[in-house]
Amino acid sequence: MSHWTPIARLEDIPRQGARVVASPQGKVAVFRTVDDRVFALLDRCPHKGGPLSEGIVHGARVACPLHNWVIELDSGQAVAPDEGCVRRFDVRLEDGMVAIALAGGPTGR
């Protein structure tokens, strides 16, 4: 069962940047686009495991800092010609607070 976990205020996440949250599923990268959309992906590129949170956000995509694979933020799918997918998490923004859906909550309970 998923649990909505508040992680930060929107303004605490830099535009075109990310914030990392520890979870029982691993590190989750929470991205904010230039137009204030928010997405959450497992912080691990499907190619070689690079930290997506350290990548470059452009539009609704992030480029992995290791080998420049480009990942769609809304689906976690790699952009062709690359193939692969990273786990995505549901995100909601309510009264300026960003929350992500984590199975079992932030500590796995």
Side-chain angles (χ1 to χ4, degrees):
M1 178 175 174
S2 292
H3 175 79
W4 286 104
T5 302
I7 54 123
R9 298 208 50 84
L10 179 62
E11 63 265 20
D12 294 335
I13 303 170
R15 282 196 172 109
Q16 295 183 289
R19 181 173 177 162
V20 177
V21 178
S23 81
Q25 294 85 33
K27 292 180 181 177
V28 176
V30 182
F31 299 92
R32 179 180 175 191
T33 64
V34 72
D35 57 356
D36 292 335
R37 290 179 290 157
V38 181
F39 303 92
L41 300 174
L42 195 63
D43 192 18
R44 185 172 168 78
C45 180
H47 177 226
K48 297 279 185 179
L52 294 175
S53 61
E54 296 176 20
I56 297 171
V57 175
H58 49 97
R61 296 175 171 175
V62 62
C64 178
L66 295 185
H67 300 98
N68 207 34
W69 272 39
V70 177
I71 308 296
E72 298 280 2
L73 293 173
D74 63 345
S75 67
Q77 289 287 327
V79 174
D82 298 319
E83 295 180 8
C85 187
V86 64
R87 182 176 176 183
R88 61 168 292 280
F89 297 84
D90 289 334
V91 176
R92 73 178 178 193
L93 179 62
E94 191 171 292
D95 297 327
M97 179 62 71
V98 176
I100 59 175
L102 296 174
T107 60
R109 287 180 264 165

XYZ file of all heavy atoms in Angstrom:
822
model
N 0.840 -1.182 0.000
C 0.000 0.000 0.000
C 0.882 1.241 0.000
O 1.837 1.342 0.748
C -0.906 -0.025 1.226
C -1.784 1.169 1.359
S -2.892 0.927 2.775
C -3.660 2.483 2.817
N 0.553 2.186 -0.885
C 1.324 3.424 -0.964
C 0.885 4.406 0.110
O -0.260 4.407 0.537
C 1.153 4.064 -2.340
O 1.750 3.275 -3.317
N 1.816 5.213 0.502
C 1.593 6.219 1.529
C 2.131 7.544 0.996
O 3.262 7.603 0.525
C 2.356 5.801 2.790
C 2.316 6.805 3.881
N 1.223 6.942 4.700
C 3.218 7.721 4.282
C 1.477 7.913 5.569
N 2.670 8.398 5.332
N 1.311 8.591 1.057
C 1.778 9.907 0.614
C 2.732 10.458 1.657
O 2.371 10.621 2.821
C 0.610 10.861 0.396
C -0.154 10.531 -0.848
C -1.367 9.912 -0.932
C 0.260 10.770 -2.198
N -1.730 9.753 -2.247
C -0.743 10.275 -3.063
C 1.394 11.342 -2.765
C -0.650 10.349 -4.448
C 1.478 11.409 -4.152
C 0.470 10.924 -4.972
N 3.947 10.743 1.241
C 4.980 11.229 2.142
C 5.373 12.641 1.736
O 5.929 12.844 0.650
C 6.225 10.315 2.070
O 5.833 8.991 2.396
C 7.303 10.795 3.000
N 5.092 13.632 2.599
C 5.530 14.993 2.274
C 7.051 15.058 2.332
O 7.664 14.519 3.267
C 4.887 15.858 3.357
C 4.385 14.930 4.397
C 4.396 13.548 3.868
N 7.667 15.684 1.325
C 9.129 15.692 1.301
C 9.736 17.096 1.307
O 10.861 17.266 1.758
C 9.674 14.894 0.099
C 9.074 15.386 -1.217
C 9.374 13.420 0.251
C 10.145 15.807 -2.137
N 9.029 18.079 0.794
C 9.604 19.437 0.753
C 8.556 20.408 0.255
O 7.560 20.025 -0.356
C 10.801 19.478 -0.197
N 8.807 21.663 0.495
C 8.008 22.709 -0.138
C 8.535 22.851 -1.565
O 9.715 22.591 -1.827
C 8.126 24.024 0.632
C 7.587 23.879 2.064
C 7.067 25.151 2.640
N 6.153 25.873 1.816
C 4.828 25.648 1.741
N 4.288 24.687 2.453
N 4.062 26.393 0.973
N 7.668 23.248 -2.468
C 8.072 23.368 -3.870
C 9.309 24.248 -4.015
O 10.250 23.914 -4.738
C 6.917 23.915 -4.718
C 7.226 24.102 -6.200
C 7.561 22.771 -6.858
C 6.056 24.785 -6.896
N 9.344 25.366 -3.306
C 10.475 26.286 -3.444
C 11.788 25.734 -2.879
O 12.853 26.292 -3.119
C 10.151 27.657 -2.825
C 9.895 27.620 -1.348
C 8.411 27.520 -0.992
O 7.598 27.108 -1.839
O 8.081 27.861 0.152
N 11.717 24.614 -2.148
C 12.942 23.979 -1.649
C 13.625 23.118 -2.712
O 14.752 22.640 -2.495
C 12.629 23.114 -0.427
C 12.170 23.941 0.760
O 12.532 25.131 0.825
O 11.439 23.398 1.610
N 12.942 22.876 -3.818
C 13.519 22.110 -4.922
C 13.897 23.117 -6.006
O 13.038 23.863 -6.480
C 12.514 21.082 -5.490
C 12.038 20.145 -4.372
C 13.145 20.283 -6.633
C 10.865 19.265 -4.778
N 15.163 23.198 -6.387
C 15.556 24.200 -7.387
C 14.924 23.927 -8.751
O 14.785 22.772 -9.149
C 17.087 24.063 -7.457
C 17.378 22.718 -6.914
C 16.274 22.365 -5.962
N 14.528 25.007 -9.434
C 14.039 24.837 -10.811
C 15.135 24.197 -11.644
O 16.313 24.531 -11.497
C 13.647 26.187 -11.412
C 12.303 26.655 -10.921
C 11.752 27.776 -11.802
N 10.394 28.074 -11.430
C 10.008 29.191 -10.803
N 10.876 30.123 -10.521
N 8.733 29.357 -10.490
N 14.730 23.261 -12.496
C 15.643 22.475 -13.337
C 16.672 21.730 -12.491
O 17.811 21.521 -12.912
C 16.330 23.352 -14.377
C 15.348 23.929 -15.384
C 16.049 24.737 -16.434
O 16.549 25.827 -16.155
N 16.070 24.202 -17.643
N 16.241 21.354 -11.286
C 17.110 20.609 -10.391
C 16.342 19.508 -9.704
O 15.220 19.182 -10.092
N 16.955 18.940 -8.689
C 16.349 17.809 -7.997
C 16.711 17.816 -6.519
O 17.654 18.472 -6.097
C 16.810 16.505 -8.628
N 15.939 17.065 -5.796
C 16.215 16.800 -4.389
C 16.114 15.291 -4.220
O 15.265 14.653 -4.827
C 15.193 17.527 -3.522
C 15.417 17.343 -2.057
C 14.493 18.220 -1.265
N 14.697 17.947 0.140
C 14.335 18.727 1.102
N 13.707 19.834 0.809
N 14.551 18.408 2.346
N 16.947 14.713 -3.376
C 16.966 13.260 -3.194
C 16.344 12.912 -1.847
O 16.627 13.550 -0.834
C 18.408 12.716 -3.264
C 18.427 11.209 -3.007
C 19.019 13.027 -4.618
N 15.488 11.879 -1.878
C 14.805 11.407 -0.680
C 15.135 9.932 -0.500
O 15.019 9.152 -1.449
C 13.274 11.580 -0.836
C 12.539 11.045 0.377
C 12.926 13.030 -1.097
N 15.542 9.545 0.693
C 15.778 8.128 0.984
C 14.441 7.445 1.200
O 13.530 8.016 1.805
C 16.660 7.990 2.215
N 14.323 6.227 0.687
C 13.085 5.474 0.865
C 13.432 3.989 0.942
O 14.550 3.594 0.583
C 12.126 5.730 -0.309
O 12.482 4.938 -1.417
N 12.495 3.163 1.366
C 12.758 1.716 1.381
C 13.013 1.164 -0.022
O 13.635 0.121 -0.168
C 11.473 1.123 1.956
C 10.825 2.234 2.691
C 11.212 3.488 1.968
N 12.542 1.868 -1.049
C 12.750 1.427 -2.430
C 14.086 1.909 -2.986
O 14.430 1.608 -4.120
C 11.603 1.921 -3.325
C 10.253 1.308 -3.019
C 9.507 2.047 -1.898
O 9.617 3.251 -1.736
N 8.752 1.304 -1.116
N 14.826 2.684 -2.218
C 16.087 3.271 -2.668
C 15.969 4.774 -2.709
O 14.951 5.350 -2.320
N 17.010 5.432 -3.176
C 16.985 6.889 -3.277
C 16.023 7.299 -4.392
O 16.078 6.754 -5.489
C 18.375 7.437 -3.575
C 19.336 7.257 -2.427
C 20.699 7.824 -2.773
C 21.663 7.611 -1.618
N 23.017 8.104 -1.968
N 15.189 8.291 -4.075
C 14.225 8.807 -5.044
C 14.627 10.244 -5.370
O 14.832 11.055 -4.462
C 12.784 8.765 -4.488
C 11.810 9.392 -5.477
C 12.380 7.336 -4.144
N 14.771 10.531 -6.662
C 15.086 11.890 -7.119
C 13.774 12.590 -7.452
O 12.991 12.095 -8.246
C 15.993 11.843 -8.339
N 13.556 13.744 -6.820
C 12.348 14.532 -7.067
C 12.782 15.756 -7.870
O 13.578 16.564 -7.395
C 11.657 14.936 -5.752
C 10.378 15.712 -6.041
C 11.367 13.699 -4.902
N 12.273 15.866 -9.102
C 12.692 16.901 -10.045
C 11.649 18.006 -10.138
O 10.455 17.752 -10.060
C 12.865 16.310 -11.448
C 13.912 15.241 -11.526
C 13.569 13.906 -11.366
C 15.234 15.560 -11.761
C 14.527 12.908 -11.437
C 16.202 14.576 -11.837
C 15.846 13.243 -11.674
N 12.140 19.219 -10.356
C 11.260 20.371 -10.615
C 11.672 20.981 -11.946
O 12.856 21.300 -12.153
C 11.398 21.399 -9.496
C 10.548 22.642 -9.696
C 10.755 23.589 -8.541
N 10.068 24.848 -8.711
C 10.257 25.913 -7.948
N 11.121 25.853 -6.939
N 9.604 27.025 -8.168
N 10.705 21.128 -12.829
C 10.992 21.721 -14.138
C 10.938 23.244 -14.037
O 10.513 23.806 -13.017
C 9.979 21.235 -15.196
O 8.690 21.696 -14.817
C 9.998 19.721 -15.327
N 11.315 23.898 -15.118
C 11.328 25.355 -15.126
C 9.921 25.931 -14.974
O 9.736 27.029 -14.450
C 12.035 25.887 -16.400
C 11.175 25.664 -17.638
C 12.423 27.341 -16.239
N 8.887 25.160 -15.390
C 7.507 25.627 -15.252
C 6.808 25.003 -14.043
O 5.590 24.888 -13.997
C 6.723 25.379 -16.544
C 6.710 23.923 -16.965
O 7.383 23.098 -16.305
O 6.033 23.600 -17.944
N 7.592 24.584 -13.056
C 7.125 24.114 -11.748
C 6.355 22.796 -11.768
O 5.604 22.506 -10.842
C 6.289 25.186 -11.033
C 7.123 26.381 -10.633
O 8.359 26.219 -10.469
O 6.562 27.478 -10.488
N 6.560 21.969 -12.786
C 6.030 20.608 -12.709
C 7.012 19.786 -11.885
O 8.221 20.052 -11.883
C 5.859 20.019 -14.108
C 4.723 20.700 -14.887
C 4.564 20.141 -16.271
N 5.716 20.548 -17.074
C 6.132 19.912 -18.153
N 5.512 18.842 -18.588
N 7.182 20.345 -18.823
N 6.485 18.792 -11.181
C 7.316 17.975 -10.294
C 7.143 16.506 -10.661
O 6.021 16.047 -10.897
C 6.930 18.209 -8.813
C 7.811 17.393 -7.887
C 7.023 19.695 -8.468
N 8.266 15.781 -10.709
C 8.279 14.361 -11.046
C 9.217 13.644 -10.074
O 10.145 14.251 -9.538
C 8.805 14.143 -12.468
C 8.027 14.875 -13.526
C 8.407 16.143 -13.938
C 6.916 14.292 -14.108
C 7.696 16.827 -14.919
C 6.191 14.959 -15.083
C 6.585 16.229 -15.489
N 8.980 12.350 -9.893
C 9.850 11.567 -9.012
C 10.225 10.258 -9.699
O 9.366 9.535 -10.207
C 9.151 11.292 -7.684
N 11.510 9.981 -9.713
C 12.051 8.752 -10.302
C 13.056 8.143 -9.332
O 13.699 8.876 -8.560
C 12.790 9.047 -11.607
C 12.027 9.691 -12.752
C 13.001 10.018 -13.894
C 10.921 8.771 -13.245
N 13.230 6.839 -9.417
C 14.316 6.207 -8.691
C 15.609 6.864 -9.165
O 15.790 7.100 -10.365
C 14.327 4.702 -8.976
C 15.155 3.846 -8.042
C 14.613 3.916 -6.609
C 15.159 2.402 -8.516
N 16.502 7.186 -8.250
C 17.708 7.951 -8.581
C 18.782 7.030 -9.158
O 19.895 6.943 -8.637
C 18.217 8.677 -7.336
C 19.276 9.711 -7.662
O 19.388 10.109 -8.837
O 19.998 10.110 -6.725
N 18.426 6.333 -10.225
C 19.360 5.354 -10.797
C 19.056 5.195 -12.287
O 18.011 4.673 -12.655
C 19.176 4.023 -10.060
C 20.120 2.956 -10.443
C 19.966 1.759 -9.500
N 20.673 0.619 -10.015
C 21.987 0.437 -9.931
N 22.722 1.330 -9.331
N 22.549 -0.620 -10.446
N 19.976 5.621 -13.113
C 19.802 5.495 -14.562
C 19.709 4.014 -14.953
O 20.479 3.189 -14.422
C 20.981 6.156 -15.273
S 20.872 6.044 -17.085
N 18.814 3.659 -15.874
C 18.699 2.251 -16.269
C 19.906 1.752 -17.065
O 20.068 0.551 -17.233
C 17.421 2.224 -17.129
C 17.248 3.613 -17.619
C 17.820 4.499 -16.547
N 20.772 2.645 -17.492
C 21.943 2.243 -18.276
C 23.053 1.694 -17.378
O 23.311 0.508 -17.361
C 22.420 3.446 -19.108
C 23.665 3.195 -19.899
N 24.698 4.089 -19.933
C 24.027 2.154 -20.672
C 25.661 3.605 -20.711
N 25.274 2.433 -21.168
N 23.668 2.551 -16.589
C 24.794 2.139 -15.732
C 24.610 2.552 -14.278
O 25.561 2.550 -13.504
C 26.107 2.746 -16.254
C 26.516 2.285 -17.632
C 27.189 0.930 -17.597
C 27.698 0.581 -18.988
N 28.373 -0.695 -19.029
N 23.388 2.953 -13.925
C 23.102 3.272 -12.527
C 23.527 4.653 -12.091
O 23.619 4.915 -10.886
N 23.780 5.548 -13.021
C 24.190 6.907 -12.668
C 23.119 7.645 -11.876
O 21.926 7.358 -11.995
N 23.541 8.610 -11.038
C 22.588 9.361 -10.218
C 21.835 10.404 -11.054
O 22.380 11.468 -11.350
C 23.465 10.019 -9.159
C 24.788 10.195 -9.854
C 24.923 9.032 -10.804
N 20.597 10.103 -11.399
C 19.816 11.020 -12.235
C 19.641 12.380 -11.570
O 19.503 13.389 -12.247
C 18.460 10.401 -12.576
C 18.521 9.157 -13.460
C 17.132 8.548 -13.633
C 19.143 9.470 -14.806
N 19.641 12.410 -10.237
C 19.471 13.679 -9.518
C 20.600 14.659 -9.825
O 20.451 15.854 -9.614
C 19.406 13.434 -8.010
O 20.618 12.828 -7.565
N 21.724 14.176 -10.339
C 22.849 15.037 -10.683
C 22.874 15.361 -12.178
O 23.812 15.975 -12.666
C 24.169 14.370 -10.267
C 24.273 14.193 -8.761
C 25.531 13.458 -8.324
O 26.506 13.409 -9.100
O 25.523 12.921 -7.210
N 21.830 14.939 -12.886
C 21.749 15.186 -14.319
C 21.206 16.567 -14.631
O 20.860 17.346 -13.740
N 21.151 16.848 -15.922
C 20.662 18.142 -16.397
C 19.199 18.000 -16.783
O 18.860 17.174 -17.632
C 21.493 18.635 -17.588
C 22.939 18.853 -17.135
C 20.906 19.918 -18.182
C 23.899 19.143 -18.277
N 18.327 18.812 -16.145
C 16.898 18.807 -16.457
C 16.658 19.794 -17.592
O 17.070 20.959 -17.519
C 16.057 19.192 -15.221
C 14.591 19.295 -15.589
C 16.269 18.194 -14.083
N 16.012 19.302 -18.662
C 15.647 20.175 -19.788
C 14.252 19.762 -20.227
O 14.012 18.595 -20.529
C 16.670 20.087 -20.920
C 17.026 18.689 -21.326
N 16.428 18.062 -22.392
C 17.885 17.801 -20.794
C 16.937 16.838 -22.500
N 17.815 16.646 -21.542
N 13.348 20.727 -20.207
C 11.953 20.406 -20.492
C 11.460 19.409 -19.449
O 11.639 19.618 -18.255
N 10.848 18.323 -19.910
C 10.368 17.269 -19.004
C 11.254 16.032 -19.117
O 10.799 14.897 -19.046
C 8.920 16.920 -19.312
N 12.550 16.282 -19.286
C 13.525 15.202 -19.402
C 14.734 15.505 -18.525
O 14.997 16.656 -18.205
C 13.994 15.042 -20.851
C 12.893 14.617 -21.806
C 13.397 14.589 -23.221
N 12.413 13.980 -24.126
C 12.554 13.911 -25.438
N 13.639 14.407 -26.015
N 11.630 13.336 -26.174
N 15.487 14.429 -18.205
C 16.757 14.599 -17.511
C 17.814 13.792 -18.255
O 17.539 12.688 -18.728
C 16.652 14.168 -16.020
C 16.307 12.693 -15.873
C 17.937 14.509 -15.273
N 19.004 14.359 -18.378
C 20.134 13.668 -19.005
C 21.029 13.125 -17.901
O 21.451 13.866 -17.010
C 20.912 14.615 -19.901
N 21.293 11.831 -17.955
C 22.153 11.196 -16.955
C 23.551 11.814 -17.020
O 24.093 11.996 -18.116
C 22.211 9.689 -17.208
S 23.300 8.836 -16.044
N 24.155 12.094 -15.858
C 25.477 12.731 -15.862
C 26.599 11.790 -16.298
O 27.685 12.256 -16.635
C 25.659 13.175 -14.406
C 24.829 12.220 -13.613
C 23.642 11.916 -14.491
N 26.369 10.479 -16.305
C 27.461 9.566 -16.662
C 27.630 9.393 -18.166
O 28.735 9.491 -18.683
C 27.245 8.194 -16.009
C 27.300 8.142 -14.484
C 27.202 6.701 -14.008
C 28.563 8.802 -13.955
N 26.547 9.082 -18.871
C 26.673 8.770 -20.294
C 25.650 9.498 -21.155
O 25.406 9.115 -22.292
C 26.562 7.261 -20.510
C 27.621 6.496 -19.783
N 27.383 5.898 -18.559
C 28.918 6.269 -20.065
C 28.497 5.329 -18.138
N 29.444 5.526 -19.032
N 24.991 10.495 -20.578
C 24.067 11.368 -21.300
C 22.822 10.659 -21.825
O 22.227 11.113 -22.789
C 24.793 12.104 -22.435
C 24.129 13.415 -22.759
O 23.592 14.074 -21.870
N 24.139 13.807 -24.021
N 22.449 9.533 -21.224
C 21.153 8.957 -21.576
C 20.084 9.963 -21.165
O 20.199 10.602 -20.103
C 20.928 7.652 -20.823
C 21.458 6.440 -21.522
C 22.622 6.323 -22.219
C 20.817 5.165 -21.560
N 22.747 5.047 -22.685
C 21.657 4.313 -22.307
C 19.639 4.678 -21.046
C 21.333 2.984 -22.545
C 19.324 3.347 -21.281
C 20.157 2.522 -22.027
N 19.047 10.083 -21.966
C 17.974 11.028 -21.662
C 16.747 10.237 -21.229
O 16.336 9.278 -21.900
C 17.665 11.913 -22.879
C 16.509 12.850 -22.583
C 18.915 12.710 -23.271
N 16.164 10.628 -20.104
C 15.037 9.931 -19.504
C 13.834 10.868 -19.428
O 13.956 12.012 -18.982
C 15.388 9.452 -18.071
C 16.704 8.657 -18.047
C 14.238 8.675 -17.450
C 16.693 7.370 -18.816
N 12.659 10.365 -19.858
C 11.410 11.132 -19.737
C 11.000 11.167 -18.258
O 10.855 10.109 -17.625
C 10.288 10.475 -20.540
C 10.542 10.406 -22.029
C 10.239 11.722 -22.736
O 9.861 12.702 -22.072
O 10.405 11.760 -23.966
N 10.783 12.362 -17.729
C 10.451 12.471 -16.311
C 9.050 11.938 -15.990
O 8.811 11.446 -14.892
C 10.567 13.923 -15.848
C 11.990 14.498 -15.838
C 11.940 15.988 -15.515
C 12.862 13.753 -14.837
N 8.126 12.032 -16.940
C 6.753 11.606 -16.628
C 6.553 10.093 -16.722
O 5.595 9.572 -16.156
C 5.742 12.326 -17.514
C 5.904 12.007 -18.990
O 6.954 11.453 -19.390
O 4.973 12.318 -19.734
N 7.452 9.394 -17.409
C 7.273 7.944 -17.556
C 8.459 7.126 -17.060
O 8.318 5.936 -16.789
C 7.030 7.604 -19.033
O 8.197 7.873 -19.801
N 9.626 7.737 -16.980
C 10.837 7.011 -16.627
C 11.461 6.280 -17.809
O 12.477 5.610 -17.654
N 10.884 6.423 -19.008
C 11.385 5.748 -20.200
C 12.607 6.481 -20.766
O 12.631 7.713 -20.824
C 10.303 5.716 -21.290
C 9.161 4.790 -20.998
C 9.552 3.314 -21.148
O 10.367 2.959 -21.971
N 8.964 2.488 -20.314
N 13.580 5.686 -21.218
C 14.720 6.252 -21.934
C 14.253 6.705 -23.309
O 13.375 6.081 -23.911
C 15.824 5.206 -22.056
N 14.840 7.787 -23.789
C 14.501 8.318 -25.109
C 15.319 7.563 -26.158
O 16.523 7.334 -25.981
C 14.802 9.837 -25.164
C 14.600 10.384 -26.567
C 13.917 10.570 -24.161
N 14.655 7.157 -27.264
C 15.302 6.422 -28.349
C 16.498 7.217 -28.880
O 16.458 8.443 -28.883
C 14.301 6.159 -29.468
N 17.553 6.551 -29.285
C 17.632 5.119 -29.563
C 17.911 4.256 -28.337
O 17.971 3.033 -28.451
C 18.788 5.033 -30.560
C 19.706 6.125 -30.102
C 18.786 7.245 -29.657
N 18.091 4.879 -27.160
C 18.346 4.083 -25.959
C 17.063 3.403 -25.520
O 15.963 3.867 -25.814
C 18.891 4.984 -24.844
C 20.217 5.619 -25.245
O 21.035 4.914 -25.849
O 20.395 6.817 -24.973
N 17.208 2.306 -24.806
C 16.054 1.549 -24.323
C 16.246 1.231 -22.854
O 17.332 0.854 -22.437
C 15.897 0.240 -25.101
C 15.564 0.444 -26.559
C 15.407 -0.881 -27.293
O 15.401 -1.935 -26.631
O 15.289 -0.839 -28.516
N 15.198 1.412 -22.085
C 15.247 1.121 -20.671
C 14.230 1.971 -19.948
O 13.622 2.873 -20.536
N 14.039 1.675 -18.706
C 13.044 2.400 -17.919
C 13.482 2.426 -16.463
O 14.042 1.450 -15.955
C 11.684 1.707 -18.052
S 10.334 2.608 -17.289
N 13.238 3.535 -15.829
C 13.503 3.666 -14.405
C 12.159 3.819 -13.694
O 11.206 4.366 -14.253
C 14.451 4.865 -14.132
C 13.816 6.176 -14.530
C 14.882 4.899 -12.691
N 12.074 3.302 -12.491
C 10.818 3.363 -11.743
C 10.414 4.809 -11.470
O 11.246 5.638 -11.101
C 10.966 2.614 -10.419
C 9.695 2.583 -9.620
C 9.842 1.760 -8.377
N 8.623 1.851 -7.594
C 8.451 1.297 -6.434
N 9.422 0.593 -5.897
N 7.320 1.433 -5.793
N 9.126 5.084 -11.652
C 8.602 6.412 -11.339
C 7.661 6.310 -10.140
O 7.158 5.230 -9.846
C 7.887 7.040 -12.535
C 6.677 6.258 -13.039
C 5.847 7.042 -14.027
N 5.176 8.162 -13.419
C 4.036 8.058 -12.699
N 3.477 6.900 -12.506
N 3.483 9.126 -12.185
N 7.484 7.419 -9.475
C 6.608 7.493 -8.302
C 5.573 8.586 -8.546
O 5.893 9.622 -9.140
C 7.420 7.827 -7.045
C 8.441 6.782 -6.694
C 9.692 6.792 -7.294
C 8.144 5.770 -5.789
C 10.646 5.823 -6.987
C 9.086 4.802 -5.475
C 10.335 4.829 -6.075
N 4.360 8.345 -8.078
C 3.338 9.388 -8.162
C 3.724 10.557 -7.266
O 4.293 10.357 -6.184
C 1.973 8.836 -7.733
C 1.393 7.875 -8.753
O 1.735 7.986 -9.949
O 0.600 7.010 -8.351
N 3.399 11.751 -7.730
C 3.718 12.981 -7.003
C 2.466 13.830 -6.932
O 1.680 13.864 -7.877
C 4.822 13.785 -7.740
C 5.093 15.101 -7.042
C 6.087 12.975 -7.864
N 2.284 14.517 -5.840
C 1.206 15.501 -5.780
C 1.730 16.768 -5.109
O 2.643 16.734 -4.269
C -0.027 14.956 -5.072
C 0.086 14.820 -3.593
C -1.235 14.312 -3.019
N -1.134 14.127 -1.581
C -2.008 13.474 -0.846
N -3.063 12.931 -1.422
N -1.849 13.369 0.430
N 1.150 17.868 -5.525
C 1.502 19.181 -4.989
C 0.239 19.771 -4.392
O -0.767 19.941 -5.082
C 2.042 20.073 -6.112
C 2.443 21.489 -5.748
C 3.585 21.487 -4.738
C 2.851 22.253 -7.009
N 0.285 20.045 -3.092
C -0.898 20.549 -2.406
C -0.479 21.664 -1.454
O 0.361 21.444 -0.570
C -1.556 19.388 -1.629
C -2.923 19.702 -1.097
C -3.578 18.441 -0.555
O -3.900 17.548 -1.357
O -3.743 18.353 0.675
N -1.031 22.843 -1.654
C -0.707 24.008 -0.824
C 0.796 24.256 -0.760
O 1.330 24.591 0.303
C -1.287 23.849 0.592
C -2.794 23.784 0.602
O -3.414 24.444 -0.263
O -3.358 23.065 1.451
N 1.482 24.060 -1.885
C 2.918 24.317 -1.957
C 3.791 23.196 -1.423
O 5.016 23.293 -1.466
N 3.181 22.126 -0.907
C 3.954 21.009 -0.362
C 3.968 19.867 -1.373
O 2.931 19.475 -1.903
C 3.343 20.526 0.956
C 4.072 19.351 1.597
S 5.790 19.688 2.049
C 5.584 20.794 3.426
N 5.164 19.333 -1.631
C 5.334 18.211 -2.547
C 5.296 16.921 -1.733
O 5.975 16.798 -0.710
C 6.681 18.311 -3.308
C 6.891 17.089 -4.188
C 6.741 19.596 -4.104
N 4.505 15.956 -2.199
C 4.436 14.636 -1.545
C 4.606 13.580 -2.623
O 4.180 13.758 -3.765
C 3.107 14.469 -0.827
N 5.243 12.477 -2.257
C 5.396 11.356 -3.191
C 4.769 10.113 -2.563
O 4.700 9.980 -1.342
C 6.867 11.102 -3.579
C 7.727 10.798 -2.352
C 7.430 12.266 -4.348
C 9.157 10.422 -2.692
N 4.301 9.219 -3.431
C 3.677 7.971 -2.975
C 4.749 6.908 -2.830
O 5.363 6.502 -3.807
C 2.616 7.527 -3.973
N 4.993 6.502 -1.596
C 5.979 5.462 -1.314
C 5.278 4.262 -0.707
O 4.418 4.417 0.150
C 7.032 5.962 -0.327
C 7.908 7.118 -0.787
C 8.783 7.590 0.362
C 8.762 6.691 -1.966
N 5.666 3.083 -1.137
C 5.104 1.869 -0.549
C 5.568 1.769 0.890
O 6.765 1.799 1.165
C 5.554 0.647 -1.333
N 4.639 1.710 1.799
C 4.979 1.542 3.204
C 5.472 2.794 3.895
O 5.858 2.736 5.051
N 5.487 3.951 3.226
C 5.921 5.195 3.857
C 7.425 5.355 3.799
O 8.141 4.505 3.279
N 7.962 6.470 4.323
C 9.375 6.785 4.166
C 10.309 5.825 4.881
O 11.456 5.671 4.506
C 9.498 8.200 4.736
C 8.340 8.327 5.668
C 7.241 7.485 5.076
N 9.852 5.142 5.908
C 10.740 4.232 6.632
C 10.396 2.781 6.365
O 10.997 1.888 6.944
C 10.663 4.479 8.145
O 9.314 4.264 8.572
C 11.084 5.891 8.498
N 9.438 2.529 5.503
C 9.071 1.168 5.166
C 8.087 0.542 6.117
O 7.794 -0.640 6.027
N 7.587 1.315 7.075
C 6.613 0.769 8.021
C 5.250 0.697 7.403
O 4.913 1.358 6.515
C 6.543 1.627 9.281
C 7.751 1.429 10.127
C 7.676 2.261 11.352
N 8.446 3.472 11.004
C 8.402 4.591 11.697
N 7.651 4.703 12.719
N 9.112 5.619 11.345
